[in-house]
């Protein structure tokens, strides 16, 4: 790795430094020693994808099939796709009409990909066909699939995006999406327990605290952040959620122009529990890979036991609904 050391970043990993790597990946390690390997206990490589979905499902399928293959070839055991990986429609009627069930043709094809590459898949923001009684809307569903191609968990987005910034963004997700009604217990995977969320959920620390209390090691936010809000808030929110919950944060992202009306911010990334950005995608379609190190996560929690320092006597608990 000769071409890699560009510059040291501010983020500290205890007494070590994070190094920006030419490929866009920042490796953290003591005294510049790389820690990108995989294999030994508690360490697993994962891949996070960035793409520009449009309304053609087949085109999008080709793009993420290749990203999954690239990540698997590099040794990733889980690959994370962004919200709307299946498609991003040109308007509400198209978005709703293209939705499928969890057992439809698209999920069947994706299941074959998981098996072929022997990887788990986080399929964030799948447009799941709505119920009989609400067939004009879809669910925005995060699907976790194992390496045998079986769906092991699904989470329907609970916080729906509604912004109106004159001249910049106007989106009201409830016009085409039914809100989910529950938090899903973190899913045991080869990299640790994964807490499922989607995009705008990132702005709600209560959800993340709940997932962390339920044992999450990794929080996931597959996203299609708008250009405007992404520039202002994306990285700071992701790093804040990682730091305050002492979890890895994995955020696959849509990027660039989907159609004449819509453009996403990109910057798909993986953040470690100290808040260091350990991988970040290039511009455009890309996948980057980093290590999830659970021993490191436990060290961070041991050294600064914020969960033990909480003052529930002052501000109460976040109660988990059972
Ligand atoms: O509708 C689809 O087809 C897929 N869903 C999305 O793209 C959603 C709803 S519009 N996007 C967001 O939540 C962006 C949040 C955001 O940008 C922020 O929180 O700042």
């Amino acid at each position: 790795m000769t071409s890699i050391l560009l510059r040291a970043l501010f983020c500290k990993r205890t007494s070590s430094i994070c190094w920006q790597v030419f490929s866009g990946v920042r490796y953290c390690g003591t005294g510049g020693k790389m820690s990108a390997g995989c294999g030994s206990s508690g360490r697993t490589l994962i891949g996070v994808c960035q793409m520009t979905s449009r309304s053609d499902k087949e085109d999008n399928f080709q793009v993420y099939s290749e990203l999954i293959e690239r990540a698997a070839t590099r040794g990733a055991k889980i690959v994370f796709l962004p919200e709307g990986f299946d498609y991003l429609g040109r308007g509400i009627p198209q978005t709703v009409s293209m939705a499928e069930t969890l057992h439809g043709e698209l999920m069947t094809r994706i299941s074959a990909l998981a098996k072929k590459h022997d990887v788990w898949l986080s399929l964030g923001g799948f447009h799941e066909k709505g119920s009989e009684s609400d067939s004009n809307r879809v669910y925005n569903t995060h699907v976790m699939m194992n390496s045998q191609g079986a769906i092991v968990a699904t989470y329907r987005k609970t916080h729906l995006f509604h912004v109106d910034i004159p001249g910049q963004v106007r989106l009201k997700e409830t016009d085409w999406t039914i809100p989910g009604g529950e938090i899903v217990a973190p899913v045991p995977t080869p990299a640790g327990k994964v807490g499922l969320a989607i995009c705008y959920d990132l702005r709600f620390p209560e959800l993340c605290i709940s997932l962390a209390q339920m044992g999450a090691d990794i929080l996931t936010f597959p996203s299609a952040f708008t250009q405007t809000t992404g520039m202002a808030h994306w990285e700071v929110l992701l790093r804040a959620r990682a730091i305050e919950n002492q979890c890895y944060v994995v955020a696959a992202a849509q990027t660039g122009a989907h159609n004449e009306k819509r453009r996403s911010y990109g910057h798909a990334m993986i953040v470690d529990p100290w808040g260091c950005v350990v991988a970040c995608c290039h511009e455009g379609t890309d996948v980057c890979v980093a290590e999830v190190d659970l021993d490191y996560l436990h060290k961070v929690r041991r050294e600064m036991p914020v969960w033990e320092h909480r003052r529930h006597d002052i501000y109460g608990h976040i109660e988990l609904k059972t």
Side-chain angles (χ1 to χ4, degrees), residues 13 42 191-193 215-219 242 245-249 271-274 292-304 307:
R13 177 165 162 172
K193 286 191 183 169
D217 303 305
I218 302 167
L219 299 173
N245 294 294
Q246 299 180 319
C247 285
Y248 280 87
V249 164
V271 186
D272 80 11
W274 191 247
V292 168
D293 180 349
L294 293 182
D295 296 334
Y296 177 62
L297 177 146
H298 293 126
K299 177 169 137 66
V300 167
R301 291 183 182 179
R302 230 177 13 251
E303 290 177 352
M304 193 192 284
W307 295 99

Side-chain angles (χ1 to χ4, degrees), residues 83-84 87-89 95 127 140 157 161 171 173 176-177 199-200 203 224-226 229-230 262:
E83 182 179 40
Y87 60 87
L88 285 174
T95 298
H127 295 86
N140 189 342
K157 189 177 184 185
F161 193 46
L171 280 167
E173 198 177 5
W176 68 92
T177 311
C199 195
Y200 187 54
R203 294 178 181 274
F225 250 57
T226 70
T229 56
R262 193 152 171 203

Side-chain angles (χ1 to χ4, degrees), residues 87-124:
Y87 60 87
L88 285 174
R90 290 173 164 274
I92 295 174
Q94 189 187 43
T95 298
V96 173
S97 70
M98 286 169 66
E100 295 187 23
T101 68
L102 293 172
H103 305 288
E105 192 198 329
L106 189 64
M107 275 297 162
T108 308
R109 290 177 75 194
I110 293 173
S111 163
L113 284 180
K115 273 195 266 190
K116 178 176 169 200
H117 298 297
D118 192 25
V119 286
W120 284 59
L121 295 173
S122 153
L123 304 158

